[in-house]
Amino acid sequence: NHPDMVVEDGRIRLKVFQSVEQYNGIRSAIAWVYKVARVEMPFAQDLGTYIKGITRHVAAAKQHLGLKLTKGKAVMKPEAYELIAEHLFKSGEKRDIFNHL
């Protein structure tokens, strides 16, 4: 068993973490508050170390569960852009009018 997975009564319970992006956003927000207050953030280095550790921990948990480690969308091929452009150009829909400008 993975340490973040608990089996109870035939049910699997998982610990769910914030995404790395959310942790970075939280860190930025905290840093902003300290900056606005003109006070040095005494735990800045520790917070950075914590987030790096969480990043590794989340990646290990995802790998263990067989989840995708990368984020984002697949790149569209030029043919897809051409098809979309052709559709929008030929469209008589009012919502697509901005594409004719």
Side-chain angles (χ1 to χ4, degrees):
N1 276 355
H2 192 270
D4 293 324
M5 294 174 57
V6 178
V7 178
E8 297 174 355
D9 303 326
R11 295 181 181 176
I12 298 175
R13 300 190 187 275
L14 299 173
K15 289 183 185 176
V16 178
F17 296 93
Q18 303 291 325
S19 71
V20 174
E21 291 79 11
Q22 288 172 319
Y23 279 109
N24 284 324
I26 292 166
R27 174 175 52 180
S28 293
I30 293 170
W32 180 81
V33 168
Y34 274 90
K35 181 179 178 179
V36 168
R38 295 183 180 173
V39 176
E40 185 178 333
M41 192 165 79
F43 53 90
Q45 187 174 2
D46 294 335
L47 187 56
T49 302
Y50 174 78
I51 290 176
K52 286 179 185 174
I54 282 292
T55 301
R56 288 190 300 273
H57 185 78
V58 168
K62 282 183 173 183
Q63 187 173 18
H64 177 75
L65 294 171
L67 300 174
K68 196 168 103 172
L69 295 177
T70 57
K71 287 193 170 190
K73 300 175 183 168
V75 177
M76 278 200 311
K77 295 181 179 182
E79 294 83 10
Y81 285 106
E82 290 172 6
L83 185 64
I84 292 169
E86 181 180 353
H87 170 76
L88 293 173
F89 185 73
K90 291 180 179 178
S91 172
E93 297 281 330
K94 199 172 192 176
R95 67 178 183 211
D96 297 332
I97 193 72
F98 74 92
N99 297 295
H100 295 259
L101 300 176

